[in-house]
Amino acid sequence: MNRVGNGLFNTAAALYFTLVVGLPAVQVGAALTVAGLIGLLAGIPGGHLADRRGPRTIMMLALTVQAVAMSALVLVESWAALAVVATVDQLAAAVGGAAWGALVVRVGTERPAHFRAKLRTYVNLGVVLGTVGAGFAVAADTRAAYLVLILGNAASFALCALLLFLLPRYRALAPPPRQRRGIALTDRPFVAFTALHGAMGLQYPVVSLLLPIWISEHTDAPRWTVAAVSAINSAVCVLLQTRIGSRIETLRDGGRAFRTAGLLFLLSCPMMALTAHAPVWAAAGLAVAAIFVHSLGEIWESSAGFALGFGMAPDHAQGQYQGLLGLGFSAGQALAPAILTTAVLGLGTAGWLLLGGFFAVVGAVGPALARSAGAGREASGPRSAAKQG
């Protein structure tokens, strides 16, 4: 439900503030960038709060704040107001994301890999549905249509907060005696994985940003290919996420899956580069084949992220650990546009080859990281089971 709302809003937000409100695009981008950077600060403390006060309660509060902030966007008429409201939204989003991670562990204890794979399937499906709905508003191009999108997203946050009442009120798990508050920041294997996860996250803007520009400006492929690759990416992830992801359960599975993802990206990136050197229909076919391989890599990467991100974290501090993981991922996404457009679009084919090699190198570290984390868990003794309170 929440991802449907996000799909409605994210697709048309920039158009609303530039075309309807009348703010310059540079100001809109600056306000959203400032909000995103400040929001990064709330992930770890918000996760710690979820660990100590219960993930359901904290996530409900965060969703309520986001519903209010999103509703307030309809009143925004200046850069300063947009920056303030967007910052509140991003702070709440960071807290809610960390609490969500802790809540996932508590709900999906029996078959966690299968549960997380199904979650991601619904996430992808929700975004697709929301994006389709946003397309009608963009086609109408009226203030009323855009307001429906914004308020629809606000309603999705409120509805999600209410739906959480259907879950048990999970009690906080007691930490070991004399444990330091910032345990996640001192866990070296997890900090390393956070950096690697953020680096591998560059693969997401490849589909949403880099490939559309590449197809439009550097290939002879028909322009509808841009829409086709986006649709194929969504379809593959929706159809195959549960089938593949439900098999990736342990730390060892996660390490291998991370390596497999890097190798798939190593294959897809050169295929994307070749589209610039192929005639019209061959270029379109290569783009379709490349996005299929890339989508498989995305499924393996996200499944590895679940297995390692949740498996490396102690049950009593899942919120704090997921807050750190979210911070690393968001930082990577913030840097991605500048890195990808400079390195790949600037270097052309060589840039694509470097990008594929980069993904392969990052993924190759996965098995060793999983072994290191597994040895650390054995040395520290068994972890508490995340049971319902």
Side-chain angles (χ1 to χ4, degrees):
M1 189 62 65
N2 185 224
R3 294 303 179 178
V4 170
N6 290 164
L8 289 173
F9 176 74
N10 294 340
T11 304
L15 295 176
Y16 170 76
F17 291 117
T18 54
L19 301 180
V20 178
V21 178
L23 295 176
V26 173
Q27 290 188 10
V28 173
L32 297 179
T33 298
V34 168
L37 292 175
I38 295 176
L40 294 177
L41 303 176
I44 298 177
H48 178 73
L49 190 62
D51 291 328
R52 302 281 61 84
R53 300 298 179 184
R56 190 192 75 160
T57 300
I58 299 305
M59 188 174 178
M60 289 174 67
L61 290 173
L63 287 167
T64 301
V65 171
Q66 285 192 275
V68 174
M70 193 60 54
S71 299
L73 285 178
V74 303
L75 305 176
V76 165
E77 294 183 355
S78 67
W79 176 87
L82 175 59
V84 169
V85 174
T87 297
V88 172
D89 173 71
Q90 288 301 303
L91 287 170
V95 172
W100 174 87
L103 194 59
V104 166
V105 173
R106 304 297 289 274
V107 175
T109 53
E110 293 185 3
R111 297 183 63 193
H114 182 74
F115 175 65
R116 295 161 194 164
K118 290 189 72 172
L119 275 180
R120 181 155 179 80
T121 298
Y122 287 121
V123 163
N124 286 318
L125 183 59
V127 171
V128 170
L129 294 175
T131 302
V132 170
F136 290 103
V138 172
D141 196 26
T142 64
R143 180 183 180 86
Y146 287 116
L147 291 181
V148 168
L149 296 185
I150 294 174
L151 294 177
N153 194 25
S156 79
F157 288 117
L159 181 57
C160 284
L162 293 174
L163 287 173
L164 288 179
F165 276 114
L166 299 175
L167 294 181
R169 185 177 180 178
Y170 296 100
R171 290 198 301 264
L173 300 174
R178 296 188 299 275
Q179 177 184 286
R180 288 179 293 180
R181 177 172 294 186
I183 179 177
L185 292 172
T186 62
D187 189 330
R188 292 184 179 179
F190 194 85
V191 170
F193 174 64
T194 295
L196 293 171
H197 187 250
M200 192 70 92
L202 292 178
Q203 60 93 4
Y204 290 101
V206 167
V207 179
S208 61
L209 172 69
L210 189 59
L211 189 56
I213 296 175
W214 179 262
I215 291 173
S216 299
E217 297 184 359
H218 297 272
T219 77
D220 293 324
R223 293 300 166 258
W224 53 259
T225 308
V226 173
V229 296
S230 178
I232 292 169
N233 174 249
S234 299
V236 171
C237 291
V238 168
L239 294 174
L240 297 181
Q241 181 74 55
T242 300
R243 179 174 298 181
I244 294 174
S246 61
R247 301 197 301 266
I248 301 170
E249 180 66 73
T250 65
L251 288 174
R252 185 179 182 184
D253 295 338
R256 290 177 171 178
F258 204 65
R259 180 178 60 193
T260 299
L263 294 175
L264 287 168
F265 296 142
L266 177 63
L267 177 60
S268 67
C269 286
M271 294 172 67
M272 294 175 184
L274 287 175
T275 58
H277 307 284
V280 177
W281 295 110
L286 270 172
V288 168
I291 200 62
F292 178 78
V293 175
H294 188 94
S295 300
L296 291 177
E298 180 179 328
I299 294 172
W300 284 96
E301 185 271 337
S302 62
S303 301
F306 281 143
L308 293 171
F310 289 110
M312 294 172 71
D315 292 331
H316 66 271
Q318 281 287 351
Q320 185 183 152
Y321 273 69
Q322 300 314 313
L324 175 59
L325 193 64
L327 188 154
F329 181 80
S330 297
Q333 295 301 290
L335 296 173
I339 294 174
L340 293 177
T341 55
T342 301
V344 179
L345 295 182
L347 297 176
T349 299
W352 280 108
L353 297 179
L354 286 173
L355 183 62
F358 171 78
F359 285 137
V361 170
V362 171
V365 184
L369 190 65
R371 288 193 296 271
S372 174
R377 290 183 63 173
E378 292 176 3
S380 62
R383 297 182 176 185
S384 60
K387 294 183 178 180
Q388 176 181 325

